[in-house]
Amino acid sequence: MDSTVSASNSPINANKQWRRKGGRLWYQKIRFKGAVIVFGLTLLFFLVNSLMLLSLQDHRIVGLRRHSSPNSSSSISLPIKGQAKSTKAKRIYKERYGRMLALTAHALAENKREPKDLWKEPFVEASAWRPCADQRNWQPSGGNNGYIMVTANGGINQQRVAVCNAVVVARLLNSTLVIPKFMFSSVWKDVSQFGDIYQEEHFVKYLTPDIRIVKELPEELRSLDLEAIGSVVTDVDIGKEAKPSFYVKNILPILLKSKVVHFIGFGNRLAFDPVPYQLQRLRCRCNFHALQFIPKIQQIGSLLLQRLRKSAVHVGPLDHYLVGPYALNMKEKGGHAGKASKYLALHLRFEIDMVAHSLCEYGGGEEERKELEAYRKIHFPALALLEKTKKLPSPLMLRSEGLCPLTPEEAILMLAALGFNRKTRIFVAGANIYGGQPRLAALTSLYPNLVTKENLLSATELQPFSNFSSQLAALDFIACIAADAFAMTDSGSQLSSLVAGYRTYYGGGRMPTIRPNKRRLAAIFTKNYTIEWKVFEQRVRKAVRQTKHVNKRPMARSVYRFPRCKECMCRTQ
């Protein structure tokens, strides 16, 4: 025992131990310095990368506009309404989601594989429904009780709903429908009438087994002063979504007495429930079968689809219903016969009228607030008066309740979180973006293959539609419905509702639609200064996935948006 202790404490052994210990310390110092250097270099790499990506977001749009041709598919040339001029407003737009957009740029740069179900309907039961609103089980109406005239207000989508409601009311009251007219709007500024958008002959012929339709009043009724005899009925006289019993009780007596009733500003003035089975089916029949665009719109619409798909021969599953005979003649010089490119259609409902009417705030500061307030005074005087006389919910409260449309920045964050990669071809409908270029920078920098009809169609091809916003909107309508996937930013928008319903009705469960739950997304976006990308991605996907259930139409909800009901569609399983 003593000899062992003595040996271990000898000077020679002590010197050896000191050298071993010193060697280990030296090695540990070297390792530590190496780790510090590697960590420093890694940190420097990510810092430089972040600065480059942020710079890309600010400057890519300038390069695209400067070097791309007007018809280039990789450029964007959007008409701008409500351009934000102040430097302060631009700075606020950038600061609000600057961190999240930088994280998005990193995620897209990784070029991960897209989720398997991104371009598909997630539920098999979606294919169990098929269209059947074209089936009839009644005798034609003689229209003997008089004539119904309708002057519909709003844009093309509100007018479409009004036409279908008018058809149902005409049948309900056993009256003859005069081809509807469209009211000139100070917002849309379009003089287009029914025959400038829809095929009159097809409309009349297709609905002949249901109602009697004429192009104008009989000569003996044209000279009547309809207002003087009490035959003019406005939206003020009819409650929103009035029941059929209201028309029988209040409108039929006028019709029987004067032989004519003129509905002015006839918008959403017929309830969805309770409505008799055959009348509800007639409403679906009108929307999905009787309203077909005129050849001029169909022809350019087919050309737009061809260029979106980069294919001269591909015909989509819904093309026949949208562009008629032109679906079989989609050939153009320079087009190729290869595999068609998939594209996502995004309805960015962020025009100044929508923004102003929402009463929300969108990051533009005091200048934005004053501008939208002035717009409401001119275009929405009733809302402006209500704003002054009553205490309305705050913009923060409206946003938390999901009552504000998504901003362009929020839309692009949602799409990236869902898994659409940087190469995705995106068609943007609703191009008059409020806020102008600062609001578009995030879209075009992160997704360079972003296009509009203005990019894909030449000035000559668009010239016949210039100054006709409804006819231009019809082209957006076609491109959105035919898309491989469709995303909306505001589920309350009429265009989004009609497009989603059309894709459901004719899509056979193969046309996925992204309907964001804005209330859930608002809660996620409030964490934009702290949330990590993976958590953000998971929460966004969950919020969107919850909106994709395949259910029957809920009571009192629109048959145009939710056609899965026995009146419009039939189950095959």
Side-chain angles (χ1 to χ4, degrees):
M1 184 70 177
D2 291 338
S3 64
T4 305
V5 173
S6 176
S8 65
N9 290 334
S10 68
I12 295 174
N13 289 333
N15 186 45
K16 287 181 179 179
Q17 288 177 1
W18 179 85
R19 277 186 293 178
R20 287 195 203 101
K21 187 176 181 180
R24 284 197 300 269
L25 288 173
W26 176 83
Y27 180 67
Q28 288 173 358
K29 285 181 181 179
I30 293 298
R31 285 186 64 188
F32 178 75
K33 288 181 179 179
V36 169
I37 292 170
V38 171
F39 177 77
L41 289 173
T42 304
L43 185 64
L44 181 63
F45 171 77
F46 280 110
L47 180 62
V48 172
N49 193 30
S50 297
L51 290 173
M52 289 177 67
L53 288 168
L54 286 172
S55 177
L56 176 66
Q57 291 174 5
D58 290 335
H59 301 298
R60 186 175 182 88
I61 180 65
V62 176
L64 283 171
R65 285 185 179 277
R66 189 174 295 161
H67 301 296
S68 299
S69 65
N71 226 18
S72 171
S73 62
S74 62
S75 67
I76 181 166
S77 177
L78 298 180
I80 294 171
K81 186 185 286 186
Q83 173 100 24
K85 297 180 181 178
S86 71
T87 305
K88 182 179 178 182
K90 293 179 183 180
R91 180 174 59 80
I92 293 173
Y93 291 152
K94 187 177 176 181
E95 286 180 359
R96 190 171 193 177
Y97 289 112
R99 176 182 173 274
M100 288 304 301
L101 291 172
L103 293 177
T104 303
H106 278 296
L108 292 174
E110 292 178 6
N111 197 28
K112 293 181 180 178
R113 183 174 295 180
E114 294 178 336
K116 291 181 179 180
D117 64 345
L118 190 60
W119 298 88
K120 298 178 181 178
E121 283 279 12
F123 300 101
V124 176
E125 55 263 38
S127 61
W129 294 84
R130 63 177 177 81
C132 58
D134 56 335
Q135 298 176 8
R136 295 176 172 91
N137 189 24
W138 60 7
Q139 295 298 315
S141 168
N144 304 321
N145 288 339
Y147 293 84
I148 286 183
M149 300 173 62
V150 171
T151 302
N153 58 3
I156 184 175
N157 305 298
Q158 291 80 7
Q159 292 166 350
R160 189 181 185 100
V161 170
V163 169
C164 295
N165 288 342
V167 167
V168 174
V169 170
R171 173 74 194 209
L172 173 68
L173 302 181
N174 189 25
S175 56
T176 297
L177 178 68
V178 179
I179 290 286
K181 294 188 180 298
F182 297 154
M183 185 183 297
F184 179 81
S185 168
S186 60
V187 175
W188 301 103
K189 297 178 180 178
D190 188 348
V191 297
S192 297
Q193 290 301 317
F194 187 94
D196 298 316
I197 301 173
Y198 302 109
Q199 298 178 32
E200 285 190 3
E201 294 301 326
H202 174 79
F203 179 74
V204 173
K205 183 179 180 180
Y206 193 85
L207 292 176
T208 294
D210 302 302
I211 62 171
R212 182 169 176 255
I213 304 175
V214 296
K215 292 190 175 183
E216 57 184 357
L217 284 175
E219 190 172 349
E220 64 271 17
L221 297 177
R222 291 178 209 165
S223 58
L224 291 177
D225 187 337
L226 299 183
E227 190 169 1
I229 63 176
S231 287
V232 173
V233 180
T234 68
D235 278 0
V236 177
D237 304 314
I238 310 174
K240 186 179 179 181
E241 296 189 356
K243 296 179 181 179
S245 57
F246 171 87
Y247 290 92
V248 174
K249 181 180 179 181
N250 298 282
I251 305 301
L252 184 57
I254 302 174
L255 192 63
L256 293 174
K257 178 183 177 182
S258 306
K259 291 299 179 184
V260 59
V261 170
H262 187 186
F263 292 107
I264 296 182
F266 189 66
N268 192 16
R269 287 300 186 267
L270 179 63
F272 289 103
D273 289 300
V275 172
Y277 176 89
Q278 290 292 349
L279 289 178
Q280 195 80 286
R281 174 161 285 191
L282 175 58
R283 180 145 56 178
C284 290
R285 185 153 58 244
C286 178
N287 180 55
F288 297 116
H289 294 273
L291 293 175
Q292 292 189 358
F293 293 122
I294 60 173
K296 179 181 79 169
I297 294 175
Q298 288 184 335
Q299 184 176 20
I300 298 299
S302 70
L303 189 61
L304 178 60
L305 294 181
Q306 178 180 324
R307 291 176 183 172
L308 274 167
R309 294 166 179 154
K310 297 182 178 179
S311 173
V313 296
H314 179 79
V315 178
L318 273 62
D319 290 3
H320 171 72
Y321 306 107
L322 295 167
V323 298
Y326 297 97
L328 302 176
N329 190 30
M330 293 170 57
K331 293 186 178 181
E332 177 190 24
K333 186 178 179 180
H336 63 80
K339 184 178 179 180
S341 298
K342 289 190 297 188
Y343 75 93
L344 164 73
L346 172 66
H347 181 216
L348 197 58
R349 184 66 169 100
F350 205 69
E351 294 90 347
I352 190 171
D353 62 307
M354 179 68 172
V355 172
H357 195 272
S358 70
L359 295 175
C360 299
E361 291 181 355
Y362 298 94
E366 184 64 17
E367 181 178 343
E368 175 188 277
R369 187 187 66 77
K370 289 181 179 179
E371 184 177 18
L372 297 181
E373 191 176 88
Y375 188 90
R376 283 192 288 272
K377 285 181 181 179
I378 298 172
H379 298 284
F380 307 118
L383 183 60
L385 180 62
L386 194 65
E387 196 176 8
K388 284 189 174 183
T389 56
K390 289 192 176 183
K391 186 176 180 180
L392 300 176
S394 67
L396 188 62
M397 177 63 74
L398 291 170
R399 186 167 294 279
S400 67
E401 290 297 316
L403 298 175
C404 303
L406 298 184
T407 66
E409 298 91 345
E410 290 168 341
I412 216 68
L413 288 173
M414 176 187 73
L415 294 178
L418 290 175
F420 289 101
N421 66 40
R422 182 173 169 79
K423 295 179 181 179
T424 302
R425 192 165 176 78
I426 301 178
F427 174 82
V428 176
N432 293 322
I433 307 303
Y434 174 72
Q437 188 159 313
R439 308 232 75 139
L440 299 174
L443 290 169
T444 53
S445 63
L446 296 175
Y447 286 97
N449 292 326
L450 187 147
V451 294
T452 66
K453 57 184 177 294
E454 288 80 11
N455 295 136
L456 297 172
L457 299 171
S458 69
T460 302
E461 290 162 344
L462 283 172
Q463 194 279 328
F465 304 94
S466 61
N467 300 319
F468 299 107
S469 61
S470 291
Q471 296 179 43
L472 288 170
L475 297 177
D476 279 338
F477 187 82
I478 290 171
C480 286
I481 288 177
D484 297 278
F486 170 65
M488 60 183 78
T489 57
D490 180 46
S491 56
S493 159
Q494 283 280 20
L495 174 64
S496 293
S497 295
L498 291 170
V499 167
Y502 212 98
R503 289 167 65 83
T504 297
Y505 187 79
Y506 283 118
R510 302 185 304 275
M511 310 296 286
T513 295
I514 299 167
R515 302 177 180 87
N517 184 320
K518 292 184 295 178
R519 190 175 189 177
R520 290 183 181 275
L521 288 183
I524 300 171
F525 287 134
T526 57
K527 310 291 185 183
N528 69 84
Y529 293 110
T530 57
I531 195 169
E532 293 304 320
W533 178 256
K534 284 188 176 180
V535 178
F536 177 76
E537 191 177 60
Q538 291 168 357
R539 293 186 64 185
V540 168
R541 291 186 184 184
K542 183 179 179 180
V544 173
R545 196 181 301 119
Q546 290 173 339
T547 67
K548 289 192 172 184
H549 295 301
V550 178
N551 297 319
K552 289 184 178 181
R553 179 181 69 91
M555 180 65 69
R557 300 298 295 275
S558 168
V559 294
Y560 311 121
R561 181 181 177 186
F562 301 104
R564 288 192 185 106
C565 57
K566 61 182 180 181
E567 295 91 345
C568 297
M569 301 184 73
C570 304
R571 286 189 65 91
T572 57
Q573 299 175 11

